[in-house]
């Protein structure tokens, strides 16, 4: 099994070197989604690892190691594969046998791109404010409302939509697997983002969208149980993206500091630069170990998985922000220009402190468990 894991990671390294690095900057510049690459990586079996009866002993750990390797090359690609996986997690872990048989094969292989719609214009961190409604209509439901910042909007064929079916609060929300091309679904123009521009994010408006009752994921009014599974996997995947990004920045900044000379020395020999890089290496490794601890907890069904995943998410994403910012500092003026990738990485890192539950929300969740 170790051989199989090694083979998967080596395949990803090969794709990153040959197919990802040459194209990623241009995709980010032109904001074009790399659907073929996403499908190619999904077909290696990444979403299947955490949405299947995988016979790998530690599938979550392998998944995160693979996402980290992808993120070293291109964080938007890693995030897209992560998002695709998240969209399959709800149906895989909570869906009926019929729902799983019908949709999971396409979701796992990326044949149908998919997304998760939780956030709304007025419901961000506080999901009890969700207003999108699903009302009984004939044999099914009718969906109305607006979802905000939907990742994969415009390229997705399926959306997990969390809508109100019961009373107020978190208790009356249900998750539905909705066709993104159904009549009444309107994707608005993509947001102009600071980074990760190749991965589209947009509002999606639902107006009288008919959804059959058998598209409920999990149980009526129990959508937050589905969401909790998605949140745990979400924190782990984002931590892996952040660690890969930080590692890329450290490798790049170290190579530059070894090349660049000022005052008759390579700048890495100045303690102000060398210690910056040393600290980055320590923090990245610490983030990785926190992530692997959380993955082990997930893979062994441990009770502390939510806590460990939140700790890993906060530490890894704060580390990515710090390391990418320091990488710009090490490269000086060059680092501030688009001739080097570090300015893009710094913009990309900011996202991870915000999505999958902001780092303040994670800290609040951690504090409540102390
Ligand atoms: C590029 C991108 C992609 C996204 N993709 C998706 C997606 O695919 N699906 C989806 O559903 N959503 C998605 N989101 C939305 C994301 O999940 C939300 O942005 C996030 O949950 C925070 O919500 P908010 O932005 O409305 O911030 P708010 O909740 O309005 O928070 C604003 C600020 O207040 C802080 N804050 C709020 N409450 C507290 C508190 N109790 N204690 C301390 N601080 C607090 C927050 O940490 C934040 O700093 C995406 C967002 C972005 C930017």
């Amino acid at each position: 099994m170790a051989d199989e894991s090694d083979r998967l990671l080596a395949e990803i390294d090969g794709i990153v070197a040959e197919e990802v690095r040459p194209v990623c900057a241009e995709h980010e510049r032109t904001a074009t989604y790399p659907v073929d690459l996403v499908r190619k990586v999904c077909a290696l079996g990444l979403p299947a690892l955490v949405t299947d009866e995988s016979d790998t002993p530690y599938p979550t750990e392998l998944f995160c190691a693979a996402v980290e390797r992808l993120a070293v090359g291109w964080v938007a690609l890693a995030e897209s594969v992560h998002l695709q996986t998240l969209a399959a997690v709800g149906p895989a872990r909570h869906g009926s046998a019929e729902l799983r048989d019908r949709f999971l094969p396409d979701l796992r292989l990326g044949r149908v791109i998919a997304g998760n719609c939780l956030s709304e214009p007025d419901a961000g961190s506080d999901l009890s404010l969700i207003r999108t409604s699903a009302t009984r209509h004939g044999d099914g439901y009718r969906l109305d409302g607006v979802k905000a910042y939907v990742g994969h909007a415009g390229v997705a064929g399926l959306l997990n939509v969390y809508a109100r079916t019961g009373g107020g609060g978190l208790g009356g929300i249900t998750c539905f697997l909705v066709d993104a091309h159904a009549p009444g679904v309107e994707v608005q123009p993509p947001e102009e983002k600071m980074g990760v521009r190749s991965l589209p994010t947009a509002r999606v408006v639902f107006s009288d969208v008919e959804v059959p009752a058998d598209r409920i994921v999990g149980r009526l009014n129990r959508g937050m149980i589905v969401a909790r599974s998605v949140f745990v996997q979400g924190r782990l995947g984002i931590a892996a993206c952040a660690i890969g990004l930080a590692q890329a920045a450290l490798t790049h900044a170290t190579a530059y500091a070894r090349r660049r000379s000022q005052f008759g020395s390579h700048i890495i020999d100045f303690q102000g630069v060398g210690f910056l890089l040393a600290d980055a290496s320590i923090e990245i490794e610490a983030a990785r170990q926190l992530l692997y601890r959380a993955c082990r907890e997930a893979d062994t069904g441990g009770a502390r998985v939510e806590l460990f995943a939140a700790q890993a998410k906060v530490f890894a994403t704060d580390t990515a922000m710090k390391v990418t910012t320091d990488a710009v500092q090490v490269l000086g003026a060059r680092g501030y220009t688009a001739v080097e990738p570090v300015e893009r990485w710094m913009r990309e890192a900011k996202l991870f402190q915000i999505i999958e539950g902001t780092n303040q929300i994670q800290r609040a969740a951690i504090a409540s468990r102390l």
Side-chain angles (χ1 to χ4, degrees):
M1 196 52 64
D3 281 354
E4 262 178 54
S5 305
D6 291 345
R7 210 169 18 246
L8 174 68
L9 297 178
E11 263 186 284
I12 289 184
D13 288 345
I15 291 174
V16 164
E18 286 158 32
E19 297 176 54
V20 169
R21 286 194 202 282
V23 302
C24 63
E26 186 60 9
H27 273 273
E28 287 303 321
R29 200 183 62 76
T30 55
T32 43
Y33 182 65
V35 66
D36 293 340
L37 273 172
V38 172
R39 289 198 170 123
K40 181 164 192 170
V41 173
C42 287
L44 295 177
L46 263 65
L49 279 171
V50 292
T51 60
D52 210 352
E53 299 289 304
S54 168
D55 48 8
T56 309
Y58 299 106
T60 312
E61 191 175 308
L62 179 56
F63 175 83
C64 285
V67 168
E68 182 190 327
R69 304 273 184 124
L70 274 179
V72 169
W74 185 9
V75 85
L77 175 64
E79 201 203 329
S80 182
V81 172
H82 156 73
L83 275 189
Q84 179 70 14
T85 306
L86 282 193
V89 160
R93 298 190 191 161
H94 302 274
S96 64
E98 198 194 332
L99 207 70
R100 289 203 305 269
D101 290 349
R102 182 159 165 210
F103 294 107
L104 274 181
D106 282 344
L107 290 175
R108 288 192 189 113
L109 292 173
R111 286 194 294 242
V112 175
I113 301 295
N116 277 308
C117 306
L118 284 134
S119 305
E120 297 184 2
D122 294 325
S125 303
D126 184 358
L127 294 173
S128 72
L129 299 175
I130 282 180
R131 280 213 306 250
T132 296
S133 64
T135 43
R136 237 13 255 207
H137 179 74
D139 290 341
Y141 288 82
R142 196 171 255 180
L143 206 58
D144 283 283
V146 180
K147 290 293 179 181
Y149 305 110
V150 177
H152 286 164
V155 295
L158 282 169
L159 296 168
N160 292 276
V161 182
Y162 291 78
R164 193 160 292 288
T165 42
L170 292 172
I173 293 169
T174 302
C175 177
F176 295 87
L177 195 59
V178 179
D179 289 329
H181 304 298
V185 180
E186 185 205 324
V187 178
Q188 299 206 331
E191 304 285 353
E192 291 276 345
K193 300 201 299 283
M194 184 191 285
V196 194
R197 287 162 43 82
S198 62
L199 197 169
T201 310
R203 274 193 187 188
V204 182
V205 180
F206 298 88
S207 314
D208 288 339
V209 179
E210 307 273 355
V211 186
D214 63 5
R215 294 295 193 88
I216 290 179
V217 182
R219 289 169 43 214
L220 188 68
N221 294 332
R222 295 288 179 270
M224 291 319 287
I225 294 175
V226 182
R228 272 179 85 167
S229 307
V230 175
F231 293 157
V232 171
Q233 184 63 42
R235 291 167 191 168
L236 300 173
I238 287 297
C241 286
I243 293 167
L245 184 59
Q247 184 62 61
L250 173 61
T251 305
H252 196 86
T254 305
Y256 183 81
R258 287 163 60 100
R259 273 198 319 272
R260 174 79 171 168
S261 288
Q262 291 290 284
F263 300 102
S265 300
H266 289 120
I267 61 170
I268 197 165
D269 294 328
F270 300 126
Q271 208 176 70
V273 173
F275 279 18
L276 213 76
L277 297 170
D279 283 346
S281 76
I282 296 164
E283 285 153 3
I284 291 170
E285 195 49 39
R288 200 174 273 130
Q289 295 309 322
L290 274 181
L291 174 60
Y292 288 154
R293 179 183 71 152
C295 289
R296 285 280 164 135
E297 195 74 357
D299 285 333
T300 54
R304 292 173 300 173
V305 65
E306 284 183 307
L307 173 66
F308 289 178
Q311 290 171 330
K313 194 267 180 183
V314 170
F315 193 77
T317 58
D318 284 353
T319 293
M321 192 70 250
K322 177 171 178 292
V323 172
T324 54
T325 307
D326 286 347
V328 172
Q329 190 70 19
V330 170
L331 269 74
R334 275 186 77 85
Y336 197 67
T337 69
V339 295
E340 297 282 351
V342 288
E343 63 83 31
R344 168 162 64 82
W345 293 340
M346 181 177 153
R347 289 185 280 108
E348 290 171 341
K350 187 65 213 168
L351 175 62
F352 298 134
Q353 294 179 305
I354 296 170
I355 53 168
E356 304 295 349
T358 68
N359 282 7
Q360 286 102 319
I361 293 297
Q362 304 296 342
R363 285 187 167 89
I366 294 165
S368 74
R369 284 184 168 78
L370 293 180

